[in-house]
Amino acid sequence: DADVTQTPRNRITKTGKRIMLECSQTKGHDRMYWYRQDPGLGLRLIYYSFDVKDINKGEISDGYSVSRQAQAKFSLSLESAIPNQTALYFCATSDVPGELFFGEGSRLTVL
Amino acid sequence: AQSVTQLGSHVSVSEGALVLLRCNYSSSVPPYLFWYVQYPNQGLQLLLKYTSAATLVKGINGFEAEFKKSETSFHLTKPSAHMSDAAEYFCAVSDLSNFGNEKLTFGTGTRLTIIP
């Protein structure tokens, strides 16, 4: 089983729908991150959390929210999805600064 | 603010040839630098990191990178390319001196193609 698991792996939805992407980890790390990957833009940080009570905005948090339900779970929500949120989303964890362990990604398409 | 610039979004090399992927950084404080690799349909994985100990850093799968402060560069090299090296490579920078606020900033990536 993967150390960092993302669900769903693929999702197609319509504009205006609420979407939740879930991430769970078995590595026991306190730090968790959500990144978005777009072709030609690399990865951009959406939100990050250094422990259960700590949530921080990244560089592109507008239109997104997160919940850290437990040390092992960190979910990303799009309250009202729009087409330019179509992207590949990655969850990552770490216990050593800079050394991230990534999930396999959740591909989201907003029509 | 910190940033990295990867020169060349696509690089093609022949199998057995030298691999050179370029990364230049911008940082107002001593940087910590990383290379990550993303194989098709997978997440990223750490290839190697520089955290001020040694300027020549060796990573997995025969890759290495050299930190050159005078050139603000951290280029990734491998002496002999293998077909399995085909992937996308990302350079990243972090201000780890800002303890408690460590975040990685990624470059835009370089897709490496290996020609048989």
Side-chain angles (χ1 to χ4, degrees):
Chain A
D1 288 339
D3 294 324
V4 183
T5 302
Q6 294 184 229
T7 56
R9 295 292 312 281
N10 288 283
R11 181 72 183 268
I12 300 173
T13 191
K14 295 182 178 180
T15 297
K17 295 292 187 180
R18 183 178 188 274
I19 294 297
M20 178 179 287
L21 305 179
E22 299 185 335
C23 176
S24 63
Q25 53 120 342
T26 58
K27 299 192 73 67
H29 293 167
D30 286 326
R31 292 173 163 84
M32 297 189 74
Y33 307 79
W34 276 104
Y35 283 89
R36 166 178 173 160
Q37 184 178 21
D38 298 276
L41 296 179
L43 279 80
R44 292 178 292 168
L45 183 62
I46 307 172
Y47 271 95
Y48 61 104
S49 169
F50 285 168
D51 64 44
V52 175
K53 297 181 180 180
D54 176 75
I55 302 289
N56 302 282
K57 292 182 177 180
E59 58 182 306
I60 55 163
S61 59
D62 287 348
Y64 302 94
S65 62
V66 291
S67 173
R68 185 80 184 265
Q69 300 94 327
Q71 185 202 40
K73 296 185 181 297
F74 192 37
S75 59
L76 176 72
S77 294
L78 289 68
E79 296 302 325
S80 179
I82 57 177
N84 75 2
Q85 292 178 313
T86 293
L88 184 57
Y89 291 86
F90 284 103
C91 175
T93 73
S94 76
D95 63 347
V96 175
E99 294 187 25
L100 271 58
F101 292 85
F102 284 82
E104 294 188 328
S106 295
R107 186 170 298 280
L108 176 66
T109 302
V110 183
L111 302 176
Chain B
Q2 299 170 290
S3 65
V4 289
T5 300
Q6 293 185 239
L7 302 177
S9 59
H10 291 84
V11 171
S12 296
V13 301
S14 297
E15 189 175 15
L18 171 71
V19 175
L20 171 61
L21 304 182
R22 300 178 187 273
C23 174
N24 288 90
Y25 69 88
S26 173
S27 177
S28 57
V29 298
Y32 288 62
L33 295 159
F34 305 81
W35 277 99
Y36 279 80
V37 59
Q38 183 181 26
Y39 297 105
N41 301 313
Q42 294 186 24
L44 283 72
Q45 62 184 87
L46 182 65
L47 201 55
L48 50 79
K49 66 176 182 179
Y50 166 77
T51 55
S52 78
T55 57
L56 182 62
V57 181
K58 295 186 183 299
I60 61 173
N61 300 335
F63 284 93
E64 63 182 33
E66 186 172 8
F67 173 74
K68 292 187 177 180
K69 184 178 179 180
S70 61
E71 299 177 7
T72 62
S73 69
F74 189 58
H75 301 331
L76 181 70
T77 61
K78 182 174 180 178
S80 177
H82 191 273
M83 294 301 294
S84 61
D85 295 327
E88 189 156 20
Y89 292 80
F90 293 90
C91 184
V93 62
S94 179
D95 175 14
L96 297 188
S97 65
N98 189 6
F99 184 77
N101 193 30
E102 313 94 350
K103 303 190 298 294
L104 282 184
T105 300
F106 286 89
T108 53
T110 297
R111 184 168 298 279
L112 177 64
T113 299
I114 310 299
I115 304 167

